[in-house]
């Protein structure tokens, strides 16, 4: 590496320490070197110094990424790449440096993995768009993280940031070998960034910024869209316009070496009391919400009901919440105290309520009714109460005495 570049890489030890604290809150899975957080922290200061010294000198080289497979909702498997503890810290340093300088260049309708932006803002954008536009393209890109083209990725990075040392490290992370479950090492062959890498979401945003966001803005300023990483919905005015734009997107993705997932991509009609066309597909999911026609109550002083196109927690996410309630707590353990149950569930309850409560309070309350039923049955077993009615009364007494014990009690979801 050029000596001048090597000596002027502006990475400080404090940047490495801050990155460590950020990624330390993340996953516990170990990388190819089997080093855990506990192992790393036995010599914390020394290890952080080594990472800083190598990053700042240009001599940091990442290890291979360990591949694991996790099940998807459709029954298929998703490959995740698990970097080493040291790579997670190093990636976070460079990601933070890049993010501070390039985030302002991203499109206003890009919400995923950006500072001060959230999935809830994306949901609100989609809700407003559905009021203005009758048609939606529910876009699904096939194997996006696996098929990102390295040459195009580096062009995008170069267009966003000039520093040669940043591009050098991004290139090294893109080219990391992959350790397969059987232990063999595989080259990337110019494709993909590991889904699970700390820097991967930022690289995905750069790629799709040029592949779709800017392209749509220039070619089709008449449409609106919302994107969260590779999850994207595009809003159009007419069916003909929607079909034409979808075909152009198909061609555009081919130009940037990506593909539509034809089985999951669909055109959706946002049917409501004003939009009365007959169209088979009237529902789509986005970030855990299901958008579809629903009977809603009018709030104009009457008791009238009307057909609205609204967002509600999806059936899949309702099922996931119920399953989490069932499995996180050992409901057959009658030696456990109710405080322990609250301790295991409250952080999850807070997350569900904060995310789904704003637009789907009634459906979420119905879903969390499963927890109340579980508590009643647990009280029956613990206190040997044969009557469900008496167990319900006892639970109400606990709730009256300690209304803040469970987070959903505090928020009125009971």
């Amino acid at each position: 590496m050029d000596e001048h570049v090597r000596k002027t890489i502006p990475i400080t030890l404090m940047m490495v320490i801050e990155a460590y604290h950020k990624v330390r809150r993340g996953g516990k899975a170990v990388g190819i070197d089997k080093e855990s957080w506990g192992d790393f922290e036995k010599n914390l200061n020394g290890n952080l110094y080594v990472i800083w010294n190598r990053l700042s000198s240009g001599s940091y080289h990442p290890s291979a990424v360990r591949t694991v497979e996790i099940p998807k909702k459709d029954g298929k498997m998703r490959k995740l790449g698990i970097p080493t503890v040291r790579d997670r810290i190093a990636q976070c340093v460079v990601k933070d440096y890049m993010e501070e300088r390039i985030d302002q260049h991203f499109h206003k309708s890009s919400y995923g993995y950006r500072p001060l932006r959230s999935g809830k803002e994306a949901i609100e954008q989609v809700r407003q768009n559905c009021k203005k536009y009758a048609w939606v393209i529910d876009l699904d890109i096939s194997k996006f993280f696996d098929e990102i083209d390295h040459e195009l990725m580096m062009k995008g990075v170069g267009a966003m940031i000039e520093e040669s040392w940043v591009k050098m490290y991004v290139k090294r992370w893109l080219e990391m070998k992959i350790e397969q479950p059987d232990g063999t090492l595989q080259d990337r062959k110019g494709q993909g960034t590991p889904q699970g890498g700390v820097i991967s979401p930022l690289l995905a945003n750069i790629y799709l910024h040029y592949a779709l966001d800017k392209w749509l803005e220039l070619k089709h300023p008449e449409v609106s869209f919302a994107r969260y990483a590779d999850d994207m919905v595009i809003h159009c005015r007419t069916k003909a316009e929607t079909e034409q734009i979808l075909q152009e997107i198909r061609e555009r993705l081919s130009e940037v070496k990506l593909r539509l997932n034809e089985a999951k991509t669909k055109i959706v009609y946002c049917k409501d009391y004003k939009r009365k066309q007959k169209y088979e597909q009237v529902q789509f999911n986005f970030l855990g919400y299901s958008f579809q026609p629903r009977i809603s109550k009018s709030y104009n002083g009457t008791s009238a009901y009307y057909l609205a196109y609204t967002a509600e927690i999806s059936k899949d996410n309702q099922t996931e919440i119920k399953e989490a309630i069932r499995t996180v707590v050992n409901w057959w353990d009658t030696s456990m105290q109710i405080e322990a149950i609250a301790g295991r569930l409250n952080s999850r309850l807070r997350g569900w309520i904060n995310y789904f409560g704003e637009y789907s309070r009634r459906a979420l309350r119905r879903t969390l009714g499963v927890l109340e039923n579980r508590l009643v049955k647990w009280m029956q077993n613990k206190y040997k109460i044969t009557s469900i009615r008496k167990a319900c009364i006892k639970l109400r007494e606990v709730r009256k005495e300690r209304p803040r014990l469970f987070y959903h009690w505090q928020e009125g979801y009971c």
Side-chain angles (χ1 to χ4, degrees), residues 65 67 79-81 91 142-154 157 169-178 186-197 199-201 203-204 207 256-258:
V65 175
T67 298
K79 288 185 178 181
L80 290 183
Q91 286 186 30
S142 179
K143 299 180 179 179
F144 169 67
F145 283 91
D146 294 333
E147 297 189 0
I148 285 177
D149 181 78
H150 288 182
E151 184 179 350
L152 292 177
M153 181 77 261
M154 291 308 302
V157 172
Y169 279 130
V170 169
K171 190 171 186 291
R172 287 181 186 175
W173 281 311
L174 286 174
E175 294 175 348
M176 288 186 298
K177 291 183 182 294
I178 306 166
Q186 177 183 318
D187 288 325
R188 291 199 175 276
K189 299 179 180 178
Q191 279 189 319
T193 181
Q195 193 171 358
I199 203 169
S200 294
L203 298 182
Y207 203 94
V256 296
K257 301 186 180 181
L258 295 173

Side-chain angles (χ1 to χ4, degrees), residues 172-310:
R172 287 181 186 175
W173 281 311
L174 286 174
E175 294 175 348
M176 288 186 298
K177 291 183 182 294
I178 306 166
E179 184 190 65
Q180 298 296 336
D182 62 3
T184 59
L185 292 178
Q186 177 183 318
D187 288 325
R188 291 199 175 276
K189 299 179 180 178
Q191 279 189 319
T193 181
Q195 193 171 358
V198 176
I199 203 169
S200 294
L202 177 61
L203 298 182
N205 273 338
I206 294 173
Y207 203 94
L208 289 175
H209 173 76
Y210 291 109
L212 284 176
D213 298 357
K214 290 295 291 184
W215 178 83
L216 278 169
E217 183 180 62
L218 293 171
K219 296 290 185 181
H220 293 285
E222 72 278 8
V223 307
S224 186
F225 68 89
R227 182 175 66 78
Y228 193 97
D230 62 330
D231 200 351
M232 188 173 192
V233 291
I234 302 163
H235 303 261
C236 307
R237 296 169 299 186
T238 67
K239 184 171 183 286
E241 178 184 65
T242 308
E243 291 171 340
Q244 177 62 33
I245 290 175
L246 178 55
Q247 178 55 33
E248 291 181 30
I249 289 172
R250 190 178 282 113
E251 295 166 1
R252 172 60 179 171
L253 288 179
S254 179
E255 291 173 2
V256 296
K257 301 186 180 181
L258 295 173
R259 298 174 294 131
L260 275 184
N261 184 332
E262 300 287 355
K264 292 185 177 180
T265 297
K266 58 188 179 183
I267 292 175
V268 178
Y269 181 54
C270 301
K271 185 176 182 179
D272 62 14
Y273 74 99
K274 294 182 295 184
R275 302 165 181 158
K276 299 179 180 179
Q277 294 185 36
K278 290 186 177 180
Y279 192 76
E280 181 180 0
Q281 191 61 256
V282 295
Q283 181 270 341
F284 69 93
N285 289 344
F286 183 64
L287 301 184
Y289 278 88
S290 171
F291 289 78
Q292 65 189 74
R294 293 184 177 89
I295 299 298
S296 296
K297 186 176 181 180
S298 174
Y299 291 96
N300 59 2
T302 70
S303 58
Y305 289 84
Y306 67 102
L307 187 66
Y309 200 83
T310 61

Side-chain angles (χ1 to χ4, degrees), residues 98-145:
M98 292 175 68
E99 202 166 58
E100 184 178 342
R101 288 154 180 81
I102 71 176
D103 186 73
Q104 61 184 317
H105 299 302
F106 288 131
H107 197 280
K108 61 181 175 59
S109 295
S110 168
Y111 293 93
Y113 303 102
R114 294 181 59 191
L116 305 178
R117 296 207 141 210
S118 69
K120 288 173 70 173
E121 290 177 305
I123 294 296
E124 178 59 23
Q125 180 66 60
V126 173
R127 287 180 71 248
Q128 296 305 321
N129 286 347
C130 286
K131 294 177 182 178
K132 300 173 185 176
Y133 298 85
W135 297 87
V136 161
I137 299 172
D138 181 13
L139 194 70
D140 192 281
I141 301 174
S142 179
K143 299 180 179 179
F144 169 67
F145 283 91

